[in-house]
Amino acid sequence: PTENKHDLTHVASLFDMRADLVHGHPYGSGHINDTYCAYYDQAGQRIRYIHQRLAENVFKEPVKLMENVGRVTDHAFNKLVEEGNPEAHRRTLTCIKSTEGKPYAVDKDGSVWRTYPFIERARTYDTITSTDQCVAAAKAFGEFQKLGADLGGEPLFETIPNFHNTKVRFQTLIEAIEKDEHNRAKDVAKEIEWFMARVDEGSKVVDMLEAGEIPVRVTHNDTKLNNVMLDDVTGEGICVIDLDTTMNGSAVYDFGDMVRTATSPAAEDEKDVSKVTMRMHMFDALVKGYLSSANAFLTDKERELLPFAGKLLTLECGTRFLADYLMGDVYFKIHRDGHNIDRTRTQIALVESIDQQMGEMEALVQKYSV
Ligand code: ATP
Ligand code: MG
Ligand code: MG
């Protein structure tokens, strides 16, 4: 959570607000950026905006990141307006332009800020409490991809290089095993063997993208439930937020990460792996929601990949945890010895659970494809 340490009057002066700042305060439960909610007076009316300072230790190229966000949100907004959507301003984030006409502004200390209109009468949830929320969130991520599906022009800037390049992820793991800098490989021989038996599966989607068998799309890459605003009244997923990782990639990455993060009842670092399972009713909800919007643009090949996608993204995450363990826990924060190994094992368990249920998962995708 954000400390109240920034001068919002200065921030407000950088943007073309056409309204007067009344007051602002730190807001939300984000872990990455500094988020503020600020009240403005616009001709006697109170309006809220979100000001966000980008985390400079995380994002090395904040201006390029914001150019991605500006392009994607402009495109989405224009498309919604063209379609005659009466709620266009609520269905996508939009960047308030800086006084220089940019989707971001740089403050006197060199930090990059963005300003979004506050999405009213909706909120984010940190934990999933119903399958309806799952349906709603998955539908919203499908809508997001749909809005981006015909974004023209140059490819988006690759904010995090090779983020979902599972081929490279496996390669990184193999190098970590070969180097074995902390002499830990001997303790995880079984896990290493398990991953090495799945190297080929790891390259499936990357190879298909490279061969042009499936299209490169605009993808969100952080498809957690708490990155979707759900309507306070209807519960509908109205708008996807947190676009920092929006890049080009395969549509199935976004879907697969939903399966990885939403279907198991166990925590990512649960020690009792018997608690880790891919719950079919949650998968059902994800497919139902996602395909209700994504059927409009997905190719048959992409649709066929959906059951595999959850497995792929779980494999990917597992390779990252195991490689980090072997490299001495340098990337993921650990709170106990072997924390990254516990995390590796939950990913293995989830992949195995998916494998056992693959037939039923394929049948569900079929069912919602028509
Ligand atoms: P993390 O990566 O940890 O999820 P973050 O630092 O990237 O967080 P965001 O997810 O972008 O931050 O935003 C933090 C919170 O602020 C969101 O969970 C949401 O509740 C709120 N928020 C962000 N943008 C808006 C908006 N336009 N309208 C209303 N609320 C918003
Ligand atoms: Mg977020
Ligand atoms: Mg974020």
Side-chain angles (χ1 to χ4, degrees):
T2 303
E3 272 178 69
N4 204 352
K5 60 185 174 192
H6 297 102
D7 176 2
L8 291 185
T9 309
H10 170 58
V11 174
S13 75
L14 304 171
F15 289 92
D16 186 14
M17 300 304 299
R18 303 178 194 199
D20 302 311
L21 178 67
V22 183
H23 63 90
H25 55 84
Y27 188 78
S29 54
H31 295 296
I32 308 292
N33 304 297
D34 290 321
T35 304
Y36 292 88
C37 168
Y39 287 81
Y40 283 77
D41 182 284
Q42 192 176 53
Q45 263 195 317
R46 274 298 146 89
I47 309 180
R48 290 196 274 183
Y49 288 90
I50 290 281
H51 293 303
Q52 251 180 348
R53 177 183 164 279
L54 273 80
E56 50 214 9
N57 53 335
V58 179
F59 303 114
K60 301 296 171 210
E61 300 262 20
V63 166
K64 290 194 173 129
L65 183 160
M66 281 313 297
E67 282 166 357
N68 282 354
V69 174
R71 276 177 69 194
V72 169
T73 53
D74 274 354
H75 180 77
F77 183 75
N78 291 338
K79 200 159 148 179
L80 287 161
V81 170
E82 269 167 38
E83 288 169 359
N85 192 313
E87 284 204 303
H89 63 283
R90 248 183 123 223
R91 292 280 168 171
T92 175
L93 289 177
T94 43
C95 297
I96 301 294
K97 297 282 189 285
S98 71
T99 53
E100 291 167 10
K102 299 255 165 44
Y104 60 89
V106 183
D107 74 8
K108 55 184 187 311
D109 301 321
S111 295
V112 174
W113 289 79
R114 62 182 163 222
T115 300
Y116 296 128
F118 195 99
I119 311 279
E120 299 287 354
R121 304 182 309 283
R123 69 194 66 197
T124 56
Y125 295 83
D126 283 328
T127 48
I128 295 179
T129 54
S130 76
T131 48
D132 285 349
Q133 290 184 334
C134 231
V135 177
K139 181 178 181 197
F141 283 115
E143 296 283 359
F144 176 80
Q145 291 183 340
K146 187 159 102 187
L147 288 169
D150 55 355
L151 178 78
E154 292 285 300
L156 293 171
F157 174 70
E158 201 178 358
T159 320
I160 309 172
N162 291 321
F163 191 47
H164 285 312
N165 190 330
T166 37
K167 240 170 145 166
V168 170
R169 295 286 189 194
F170 265 93
Q171 204 47 52
T172 307
L173 173 60
I174 290 167
E175 280 162 27
I177 297 165
E178 282 168 359
K179 284 195 188 138
D180 194 18
E181 280 173 340
H182 298 263
N183 195 26
R184 290 178 169 184
K186 61 176 179 8
D187 306 329
V188 289
K190 250 178 44 197
E191 286 76 11
I192 289 174
E193 194 190 337
W194 189 93
F195 278 98
M196 289 308 102
R198 286 163 178 83
V199 175
D200 287 348
E201 281 185 304
S203 63
K204 190 164 164 182
V205 171
V206 175
D207 288 345
M208 288 175 84
L209 276 174
E210 274 172 13
E213 288 174 42
I214 51 172
V216 175
R217 297 191 182 277
V218 173
T219 49
H220 184 277
N221 296 311
D222 192 9
T223 52
K224 299 179 296 199
L225 174 73
N226 69 6
N227 284 331
V228 181
M229 310 264 327
L230 301 183
D231 189 282
D232 284 344
V233 177
T234 65
E236 205 188 339
I238 53 155
C239 177
V240 162
I241 62 165
D242 204 347
L243 308 181
D244 294 330
T245 50
T246 295
M247 290 180 273
N248 289 124
S250 166
V252 310
Y253 295 151
D254 279 352
F255 182 79
D257 220 24
M258 286 188 249
V259 175
R260 186 184 77 81
T261 56
T263 63
S264 169
E268 199 167 67
D269 59 357
E270 174 61 54
K271 280 174 169 243
D272 178 1
V273 294
S274 73
K275 291 184 182 159
V276 179
T277 61
M278 203 298 298
R279 290 175 297 174
M280 197 58 76
H281 68 281
M282 296 303 264
F283 184 77
D284 187 316
L286 290 176
V287 185
K288 182 179 174 186
Y290 181 65
L291 286 183
S292 71
S293 48
N295 259 334
F297 63 87
L298 285 184
T299 65
D300 289 344
K301 281 218 171 94
E302 288 174 306
R303 240 188 309 270
E304 279 165 25
L305 282 168
L306 295 182
F308 173 72
K311 181 175 166 180
L312 181 70
L313 274 280
T314 310
L315 271 176
E316 175 191 301
C317 199
T319 63
R320 295 177 67 191
F321 290 144
L322 184 54
D324 199 41
Y325 175 75
L326 293 167
M327 290 188 282
D329 309 306
V330 287
Y331 184 83
F332 297 105
K333 280 198 190 104
I334 58 161
H335 306 293
R336 57 178 186 250
D337 279 351
H339 206 161
N340 275 320
I341 253 327
D342 294 340
R343 291 170 174 145
T344 306
R345 290 182 181 136
T346 61
Q347 304 306 294
I348 291 177
L350 188 56
V351 168
E352 290 183 342
S353 176
I354 291 173
D355 267 339
Q356 283 158 12
Q357 304 180 79
M358 197 52 106
E360 206 178 323
M361 292 169 77
E362 282 165 1
L364 272 176
V365 170
Q366 285 274 326
K367 173 179 151 193
Y368 290 115
S369 289
V370 283

